[in-house]
């Protein structure tokens, strides 16, 4: 400010700084771009590493779906995904136990029903042979023996029905107990 009260402004052209500013702009753009690429690469690597267990679990579910193989999934680490894989393995073990129980039930049902069904079939075939006028039975039966054969068939049908009901009840109890 001058003693007379007027203000003096002094100006300088920034043209002399254009080269410095261009150099700084180039440095900032280059460094900034490199940092963005580096941050993207680091994010990709972290995401890939973090999602690797999810990929293993996904491949395991696909394998189980396609093959029916209930072998456990490899568990690596002690994080939430490892705990999820542990629970998944628990589920696979329960499915395996259920599959074994189902197979045992089928085998038991086959054994349980085979003998009475065979006897029933034999008696029915004998009854058919006796009733066929074109085929003379090897040993004719009197009326009492024929009535006994019919009663045996009804008794055998009742026995098969009882066994089927018992197997169904056991299967329901096992399902309720395991469910």
């Amino acid at each position: 400010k001058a003693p007379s009260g007027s203000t003096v402004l002094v100006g300088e052209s920034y043209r002399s700084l254009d080269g410095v500013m261009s150099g700084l702009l180039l440095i900032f753009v280059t460094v900034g771009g490199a940092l963005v690429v580096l941050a993207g690469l680091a994010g990709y690597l972290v995401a890939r590493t973090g999602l690797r267990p999810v990929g293993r679990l996904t491949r395991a579910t696909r394998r189980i779906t396609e093959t029916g193989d209930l072998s456990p999934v490899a568990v690596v680490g002690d994080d939430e995904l490892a705990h999820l894989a542990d629970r998944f393995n628990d589920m696979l073990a329960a499915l395996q136990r259920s599959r074994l129980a189902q197979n045992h039930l089928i085998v038991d049902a086959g054994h349980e029903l085979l003998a009475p069904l065979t006897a029933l079939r034999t008696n029915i075939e004998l009854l058919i042979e006796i009733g066929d006028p074109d085929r003379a039975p090897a040993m004719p039966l009197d009326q009492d023996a024929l009535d006994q054969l019919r009663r045996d068939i009804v008794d055998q049908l009742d026995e098969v029905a009882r066994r089927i009901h018992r197997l169904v009840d056991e299967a329901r109890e096992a399902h309720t107990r395991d469910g």
Side-chain angles (χ1 to χ4, degrees):
K1 195 167 186 175
S4 66
S6 45
T7 304
V8 176
L9 291 177
V10 177
E12 183 178 341
S13 171
Y14 287 118
R15 288 218 161 132
S16 62
L17 297 176
D18 277 348
V20 172
M21 295 298 277
S22 295
L24 284 176
L25 180 65
L26 181 63
I27 289 172
F28 285 146
V29 167
T30 303
V31 169
L35 289 175
V36 166
V37 169
L38 187 62
L41 182 62
Y44 170 77
L45 291 175
V46 167
R48 193 176 106 196
T49 302
L51 292 176
R52 189 173 294 138
V54 174
R56 274 196 303 270
L57 198 56
T58 302
R59 285 189 300 280
T61 57
R62 188 175 299 121
R63 172 186 51 85
I64 291 165
T65 302
E66 292 172 357
T67 66
D69 176 21
L70 298 178
S71 58
V73 177
V75 178
V76 179
D78 192 32
D79 57 358
E80 289 300 318
L81 287 172
H83 294 296
L84 177 64
D86 281 335
R87 298 296 70 80
F88 189 77
N89 285 338
D90 292 343
M91 180 186 68
L92 290 176
L95 283 172
Q96 184 69 28
R97 286 190 303 273
S98 175
R99 183 182 283 176
L100 287 173
Q102 184 180 31
N103 288 342
H104 285 300
L105 177 66
I106 291 168
V107 169
D108 289 347
H111 288 301
E112 193 75 26
L113 297 176
L114 190 57
L117 284 175
T118 302
L120 182 64
R121 179 183 180 141
T122 302
N123 286 339
I124 290 173
E125 286 175 351
L126 179 60
L127 191 60
I128 290 170
E129 186 177 316
I130 291 169
D132 188 355
D134 295 335
R135 296 171 61 184
M139 186 166 65
L141 298 176
D142 62 6
Q143 189 60 39
D144 288 338
L146 200 54
D147 290 340
Q148 181 60 42
L149 179 63
R150 288 185 181 119
R151 282 192 299 276
D152 285 348
I153 289 173
V154 171
D155 289 344
Q156 289 165 344
L157 280 171
D158 288 342
E159 178 63 22
V160 168
R162 272 193 303 278
R163 289 183 183 201
I164 289 172
H165 285 295
R166 193 181 82 238
L167 287 169
V168 169
D169 290 342
E170 288 175 6
R172 282 187 184 138
E173 287 173 16
H175 176 72
T176 303
R177 187 176 51 245
D178 294 340

